[in-house]
């Protein structure tokens, strides 16, 4: 990873630090106050150890930029926003990510730091975001979704594991206990209107207006006073974000359960059905995850 220079002259528009070569995303610094990040990891925008490492570096840039007011996260693939995590048959790569500045595993660390960053993070959602993809959007400050083209969910319980990236803590605060349990335990997909009804997203927007409406909001935020945004956000964070102690135990459970023989067998059945590629399984994962259950 590159060395971070936090001076305004380096972090401003056109800096080499922001414009470096990224593997799974593109960064467009539209102005000193506004950055747009596009996920682009074919075929379905799975999250891997590489994605986590790049997002961790990006969050460091966001945290330390005194000019940045707003970051929009979008996808280059209209069918998949962020599919879910993929260990790529190499769990050691994920283990090797280590811990971040919070002392938590790199995935939890970047999610927590993104939520607490002084800049506003906006998920502009078109396509599918499940598992770790759902965990990422839940860590963003604002979530706007395509009315016609959004599917969100936490499918992990259906696949035999505990969700590891904090959705229990975040969804319970956003949707309430009953709806959080429905999303997590039934492990099926929520379409855009249901996600809006449950508080999973701020609101849904007609697909043909999503980009323009989010861009207009971000451009507005980019013009406001940075300190006014950062301080106001910090007060909301104090009373709404989960404490660190609520997050790490579930991730430990996720890794422990992932290593069980029964779960490994179920993962193999999911892969045989089309997991991690652009397949009908991935496009209908919430509905079809039950097909991987043993007879």
């Amino acid at each position: 990873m590159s060395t971070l220079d936090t001076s305004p002259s380096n972090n401003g528009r056109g800096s080499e630090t922001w414009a470096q070569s990224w593997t799974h995303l593109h960064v467009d610094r539209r102005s000193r106050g506004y950055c747009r990040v596009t996920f682009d990891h074919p075929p379905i925008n799975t999250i891997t150890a590489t994605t986590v490492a790049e997002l961790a570096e990006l969050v460091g840039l966001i945290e330390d930029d005194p000019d940045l007011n707003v970051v929009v996260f979008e996808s280059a693939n209209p069918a998949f926003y962020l599919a879910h995590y993929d260990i790529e048959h190499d769990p050691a790569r994920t283990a090797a990510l280590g811990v971040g500045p919070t002392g938590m595993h790199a995935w939890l660390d970047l999610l927590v730091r993104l939520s607490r960053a002084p800049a506003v993070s906006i998920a502009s959602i078109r396509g599918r975001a499940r598992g770790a993809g759902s965990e990422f959007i839940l860590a963003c400050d604002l979530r706007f979704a395509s009315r016609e083209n959004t599917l969100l969910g936490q499918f992990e319980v259906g696949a035999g594991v505990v969700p590891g990236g904090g959705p229990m803590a975040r969804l319970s605060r956003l949707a309430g206990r009953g709806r959080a349990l429905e999303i997590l335990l039934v492990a099926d997909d929520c379409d855009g209107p249901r996600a809006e009804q449950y508080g999973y997203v701020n609101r849904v927007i007609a697909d043909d207006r999503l980009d323009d409406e989010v861009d207009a909001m971000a451009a507005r935020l980019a013009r406001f006073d940075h300190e006014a945004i950062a301080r106001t956000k910090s007060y909301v964070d104090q009373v709404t974000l989960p404490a660190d102690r609520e997050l790490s135990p579930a991730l430990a459970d996720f890794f422990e359960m992932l290593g069980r023989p029964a779960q490994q067998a179920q993962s193999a059945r999911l892969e045989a059905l089309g997991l991690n590629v652009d397949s009908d399984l991935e496009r209908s994962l919430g509905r079809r995850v039950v097909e991987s259950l043993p007879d």
Side-chain angles (χ1 to χ4, degrees):
M1 295 187 183
S2 64
T3 301
L4 178 62
D5 179 347
T6 62
S7 66
S9 61
N10 185 65
N11 281 337
R13 186 178 185 183
S15 74
E16 293 182 2
T17 309
W18 285 93
Q20 65 178 288
S21 177
W22 304 89
T23 306
H24 290 179
L25 48 88
H26 306 297
V27 177
D28 176 13
R29 188 65 182 263
R30 297 196 169 183
S31 69
R32 295 184 73 84
Y34 178 11
C35 183
R36 205 164 182 105
V37 177
T38 304
F39 297 115
D40 190 7
H41 178 213
I44 60 171
N45 279 346
T46 55
I47 298 169
T48 69
T50 298
T51 320
V52 174
E54 291 196 332
L55 282 171
E57 182 166 9
L58 185 69
V59 168
L61 293 175
I62 293 168
E63 288 176 316
D64 293 319
D65 193 313
D67 302 313
L68 185 65
N69 282 354
V70 58
V71 184
V72 173
F73 293 93
E74 61 184 357
S75 170
N77 184 340
F80 293 92
Y81 183 82
L82 284 171
H84 48 71
Y85 200 84
D86 177 10
I87 62 171
E88 302 178 292
H89 301 286
D90 187 5
R93 290 194 65 214
T94 297
L97 289 166
V99 301
T102 63
M104 291 186 284
H105 181 275
W107 176 240
L108 283 178
D109 175 82
L110 77 86
L111 296 179
V112 166
R113 289 164 52 216
L114 178 64
S115 294
R116 296 174 182 164
V120 179
S121 52
I122 301 177
S124 181
I125 308 159
R126 179 179 282 113
R128 293 151 180 83
R130 303 183 178 107
S134 167
E135 292 164 2
F136 180 84
I137 68 166
L138 289 170
C140 289
D141 298 316
L142 306 176
R143 290 161 296 282
F144 300 99
S146 164
R147 180 181 298 277
E148 302 90 346
N149 183 19
T150 292
L151 287 175
L152 307 180
Q154 299 285 163
F155 71 97
E156 289 94 332
V157 169
V161 296
V162 170
M168 290 78 81
R170 295 184 189 276
L171 276 170
S172 297
R173 287 166 166 83
L174 291 170
R177 182 177 186 270
R179 285 173 170 174
L181 286 171
E182 180 185 349
I183 293 165
L184 294 160
L185 299 184
V186 179
D188 203 350
D189 292 329
C190 291
D191 62 14
R194 177 65 58 84
E196 179 184 54
Q197 178 188 8
Y198 279 21
Y200 208 148
V201 298
N202 286 63
R203 56 188 169 93
V204 292
I205 300 171
D207 189 79
D208 61 357
R209 300 204 314 269
L210 177 66
D211 296 337
D212 288 343
E213 288 203 24
V214 172
D215 183 65
M217 184 183 305
R220 176 184 174 90
L221 285 165
R223 298 181 61 192
F224 290 172
D225 180 81
H226 179 80
E227 279 296 308
I229 288 175
R231 293 190 189 192
T232 302
K233 183 175 178 298
S234 73
Y235 288 116
V236 176
D237 292 348
Q238 289 174 30
V239 295
T240 58
L241 293 182
D244 291 357
R245 67 179 182 277
E246 297 180 46
L247 302 173
S248 293
L251 187 60
D253 280 351
F254 170 80
F255 286 129
E256 185 271 322
M257 297 181 79
L258 198 64
R260 294 178 180 180
Q263 206 290 320
Q264 291 178 345
Q266 188 172 359
S267 294
R269 290 191 292 271
L270 279 168
E271 190 163 339
L273 289 167
L275 194 71
N276 298 325
V277 297
D278 192 348
S279 63
D280 181 71
L281 177 82
E282 284 286 5
R283 289 175 177 259
S284 307
L285 186 56
R287 173 174 57 84
R288 294 193 57 190
V289 69
V290 296
E291 295 177 25
S292 68
L293 296 172
D295 295 332

